[in-house]
Each structure stands twice: as C-alpha cells, then as structure tokens.
C-alpha cells in the first residue's frame, strides 16, 4: 500500500494532477488557495487585483510583522475596488477551486488549510474526493485522523479557529495510526520558518495527542521553510510533508 501526501498546494494544479501517480491514494492537507506567493509577488489573488507593486509592499509589511499597517494598506486597496471584498475574493477562489479539485485523483482524502474556505469545498469535491475534518477513516488497514484549519493569528486568514475548537477536533479523532493536520504540533523546531524568520502557530492539542496516543506518524504542512522537516517525538515520526506549491513532489508512505 502506498499513499502520497501533499500540503500547501497554493494553486499548483499542474503538479497536483500527477501527485497521485504510483500511489493507491492521495492525501491533501490543505491550503489549495493562492492568495499571494511570497516567492513570486506577481502570482495570486492579491496581485491579480492590485498589482505586483502593492504585493511587494504587503509582503514587506507582513515580514516586518507590521500587521496593522498591512491591514491599513488592504483596507485602502479594497475600498478602491468597484466590487466588495467578499465578492471579489470568492470569485477568484472559485476559479482556483474549479481547477484544483478537477486535478485530484481518485481516491483523494483532503482537509482544509488556514487559507481555504470550507463552505465552498462541497461544491467542487467530486466523487472520489473525501473531505474530512475532525474525522477518521481507514486506508489500507491503517486508521488516519484528519484535523483541518489553523489557529488564530494576526494574519486573520479565512479558516482560523479558537484553540478550544481545534482541540475538540483533535479529541474527536481519538487514537489513530496516522495523525494528519494542516498545522504542526507546537514544537519550536517544527513551527519556525527560516525564510519568513518567524514562528508560525502550532497546536498544543496536537502535541499532547502525539504524546498521549503515540501514532506512528504525524503529518502536516503550513510552515513552508521549517527549521526541521522531520523529528521524532517518542514513538511518533513527525513529518512536514513539504511546500508542494514550490517543490511539486508529494511525501510517500508505504506499508
């Protein structure tokens, strides 16, 4: 049995279409949407609407953790559009989702990332794509648990939830062989992004579950350039499956 795993697709439909090649199933750990490419500021919803120059400025402000100034910039730019913010974003996200969900092979098991919009997924998930969040499923004789979304941050991305709500989803899946989430357990080596030069939010509830239930693997993404891509916590191999938008290669589990 072989399962390929991707996360942080961020618009990379071309490589997503072949991500399941040679595998019995594909797992996607979220962040399908590309709002702004920090490596190429000309790509994504934001530069499509406001131009690369404004995207350069937004990245500069966010990287410097000047979040209030970044929000002020956003408010000024959105106010200048002929349509409202929600309508413009939803229209752009729908175009991306139509292409990305069409690229999923059968079977695909997917959960949400923090930049995804869960309310739209049911419209685009075709037969053969199973969406899971706070749920578990058996694949090839092993139990996989899925926890989607992210925790609240100053970035205010679309699918950030409270620590309590997130912990309830972790608790709901119970003991599993493979714990799948978008964000990592709350371990400094796994949450620090060496390019952005900041700690992303990891989950204490995930870390507690790893220590308590000892799954074989904890798989996640979210941190694009982590200080450490994999490490062992007790009996559990913790693996950042990679920034698929940049690398275009899945992580593989075989048994």
């Amino acid at each position: 049995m072989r399962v390929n795993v991707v996360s942080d697709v961020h618009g990379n439909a071309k490589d997503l279409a072949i991500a399941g090649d040679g595998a019995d199933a594909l797992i996607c750990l979220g962040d399908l949407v590309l709002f702004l490419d920090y490596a190429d500021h000309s790509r994504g919803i934001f530069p499509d609407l406001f131009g690369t120059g404004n995207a350069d400025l937004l990245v500069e402000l966010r990287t410097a953790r000047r979040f209030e100034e970044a929000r002020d910039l956003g408010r000024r730019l959105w106010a200048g559009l002929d349509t409202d913010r929600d309508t413009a974003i939803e229209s752009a996200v729908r175009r991306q989702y139509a292409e990305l969900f069409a690229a999923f092979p059968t079977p695909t098991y997917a959960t949400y990332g923090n930049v995804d919009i869960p309310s739209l997924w049911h419209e685009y998930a075709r037969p053969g794509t199973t969406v899971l969040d706070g749920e578990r499923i058996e694949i090839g004789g092993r139990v996989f648990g899925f926890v989607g979304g992210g925790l609240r941050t100053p970035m205010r991305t679309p699918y950030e939830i409270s620590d309590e709500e997130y912990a309830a989803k972790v608790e709901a899946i119970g003991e599993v062989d493979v714990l799948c989430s978008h964000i990592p357990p709350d371990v400094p080596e796994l949450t620090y992004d060496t390019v952005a030069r900041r700690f992303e939010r990891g989950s204490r509830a995930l870390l507690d579950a790893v220590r308590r239930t000892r799954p074989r693997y904890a798989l996640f993404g979210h941190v694009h350039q982590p200080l450490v891509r994999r490490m062992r916590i007790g009996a559990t191999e913790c693996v950042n499956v990679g920034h698929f938008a940049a690398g275009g290669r899945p992580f593989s589990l075989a048994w």
Side-chain angles (χ1 to χ4, degrees):
M1 185 75 185
R2 178 177 170 179
V3 173
N4 285 356
V5 189
V6 301
S7 184
D8 300 272
V9 176
H10 294 303
N12 189 352
K14 178 181 177 182
D15 289 324
L16 185 63
I18 58 174
D21 287 4
D24 298 287
L26 179 71
I27 288 175
C28 178
L29 302 181
D31 271 11
L32 297 181
V33 171
L34 178 60
F35 187 75
L36 176 58
D37 188 334
Y38 276 59
D40 179 355
H41 303 169
S42 68
R43 298 182 63 244
I45 295 171
F46 189 89
D48 286 349
L49 290 171
F50 304 119
T52 303
N54 283 314
D56 291 340
L57 179 56
L58 183 66
V59 171
E60 179 184 337
L61 292 172
R62 285 182 171 180
T63 301
R65 304 186 67 80
R66 294 156 60 185
F67 295 116
E68 191 55 47
E69 291 176 67
R71 283 192 285 272
D72 286 341
L73 171 66
R75 281 192 285 265
R76 292 197 303 272
L77 293 172
W78 289 112
L81 283 185
D82 293 333
T83 185
D84 68 274
R85 174 191 175 112
D86 291 344
T87 300
I89 290 178
E90 182 174 319
S91 177
V93 169
R94 284 182 177 278
R95 288 194 296 272
Q96 291 189 15
Y97 277 168
E99 183 179 16
L100 291 160
F101 276 91
F104 277 144
T106 297
T108 291
Y109 304 92
T111 196
Y112 315 114
N114 61 293
V115 303
D116 286 312
I117 302 179
S119 61
L120 298 181
W121 277 37
H122 73 280
E123 297 184 39
Y124 296 94
R126 303 176 303 171
T129 296
T130 302
V131 179
L132 301 135
D133 187 17
E135 299 164 280
R136 47 195 277 156
I137 196 166
E138 184 177 314
I139 306 172
R142 288 189 176 180
V143 178
F144 288 69
F146 291 79
V147 184
L151 297 172
R152 289 177 181 156
T153 72
M155 303 287 278
R156 299 182 183 176
T157 51
Y159 190 40
E160 294 181 355
I161 60 177
S162 70
D163 290 57
E164 293 75 17
E165 185 179 353
Y166 195 93
K169 293 195 294 185
V170 175
E171 182 68 24
I173 65 173
E175 294 188 15
V176 296
D177 297 304
V178 184
L179 177 57
C180 298
S181 58
H182 177 67
I183 63 174
D186 189 15
V187 177
E189 295 89 340
L190 299 177
T191 58
Y192 186 73
D193 191 304
T194 60
V195 174
R197 293 177 296 175
R198 66 169 180 258
F199 289 97
E200 302 290 352
R201 283 213 65 189
S203 167
R204 181 71 190 192
L206 286 174
L207 179 59
D208 290 344
V210 165
R211 289 171 170 165
R212 184 179 68 254
T213 65
R214 299 164 60 89
R216 297 187 188 190
Y217 291 93
L219 307 179
F220 49 88
H222 186 56
V223 183
H224 291 180
Q225 299 90 15
L227 183 64
V228 174
R229 288 202 174 274
R230 65 193 294 168
M231 67 183 295
R232 184 168 288 277
I233 299 176
T236 303
E237 188 73 14
C238 299
V239 183
N240 184 319
V241 302
H243 181 203
F244 187 77
R249 293 184 178 181
F251 172 78
S252 291
L253 275 184
W255 66 94

